[in-house]
């Protein structure tokens, strides 16, 4: 592992981030070919929050939050801090004092494969968090890591500047150079769903709206009348 802090990486444009946030995790994930979802292990600390931000990445040592301290001054408005460790660790490496600094800089939230502490305070201040655990276990500041390098979160590669979308459904990552395509495909999917929703409100069913009767027939599924007990 290179122990470096990379400064001023390219970022996803704020206007594009705002568009992705409007579509949300499920739509973006489906619209991009069911890619980029970091899995179910990271859950929101709060409810009803949907954000998108440009990734500032952190690779830390287990039980050590030194590199989070180093990453804060690399953050700016519109960013999301994305943290993982060199091996699994659920220690509470992030808390209210970190969030206070990040919120002051306009950072939109935190995504971490580790644990967070000060949950009551984080909710009260409205700082959005997605984490693998809530854990008061303390950490040290002793081991070098890296900031703004490629990391892996839930099997998904996250590069600095990638778009990260997070809501109650989870977290999805869109590579920075694929954001425009993701917006276009998410828009198309949203329009298609609006058409389907209007049909359902008129009494249509998804079996017909999605042309699934032929699929069932091809798979050998047949309808038979109930024959009684």
């Amino acid at each position: 592992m290179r122990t470096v802090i990379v400064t001023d990486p390219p970022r996803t444009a704020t206007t594009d981030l705002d568009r992705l946030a409007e579509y949300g995790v499920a739509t973006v994930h489906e619209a991009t070919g069911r890619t980029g979802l970091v899995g179910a292990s990271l859950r929101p600390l709060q409810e009803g929050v949907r954000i998108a931000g440009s990734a500032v990445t952190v690779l830390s040592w287990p039980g050590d939050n030194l590199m989070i301290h180093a990453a804060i001054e690399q953050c700016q408005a519109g960013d999301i801090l994305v943290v993982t460790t060199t091996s699994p660790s659920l220690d509470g490496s992030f808390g209210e004092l970190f969030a206070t600094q990040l919120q002051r800089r306009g950072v939109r939230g935190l995504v971490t494969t580790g644990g967070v502490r000060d949950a009551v305070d984080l909710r009260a201040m409205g700082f959005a968090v997605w984490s693998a655990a809530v854990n008061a276990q303390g950490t040290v500041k002793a081991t070098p890591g890296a900031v703004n390098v490629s990391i892996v979160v839930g099997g998904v590669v996250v590069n600095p500047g990638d778009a990260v979308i997070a809501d109650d459904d989870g977290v999805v990552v869109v590579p920075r150079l694929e954001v425009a395509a993701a917006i276009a495909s998410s828009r198309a999917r949203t329009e298609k769903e609006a058409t389907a929703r209007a049909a359902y409100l008129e009494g249509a069913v998804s079996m017909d709206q999605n042309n699934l009767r032929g699929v069932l027939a091809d798979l050998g599924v047949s309808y038979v009348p109930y024959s009684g007990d």
Side-chain angles (χ1 to χ4, degrees), residues 25-26 29 32 34-40 153-156 165 169-173:
V25 169
H29 169 60
T32 54
R34 297 186 298 280
T35 63
L37 195 64
V38 304
V153 177
V156 176
I165 306 96
D169 291 332
V171 179
V172 68
V173 179

Side-chain angles (χ1 to χ4, degrees), residues 20-92:
L20 289 170
E22 290 176 7
Y23 294 125
V25 169
T27 293
V28 173
H29 169 60
E30 292 278 6
T32 54
R34 297 186 298 280
T35 63
L37 195 64
V38 304
S41 62
L42 305 189
R43 301 304 305 154
L45 184 66
Q46 62 291 311
E47 292 185 350
V49 174
R50 175 176 286 167
I51 63 172
S54 190
V56 170
T57 61
V58 181
L59 182 59
S60 290
W61 203 257
D64 193 308
N65 68 3
L66 174 63
M67 300 314 294
I68 299 178
H69 286 275
I72 288 175
E73 64 181 356
Q74 303 304 319
C75 292
Q76 62 185 41
D79 288 342
I80 289 180
L81 191 65
V82 184
V83 181
T84 193
T85 48
T86 56
S87 61
S89 174
L90 297 179
D91 293 346

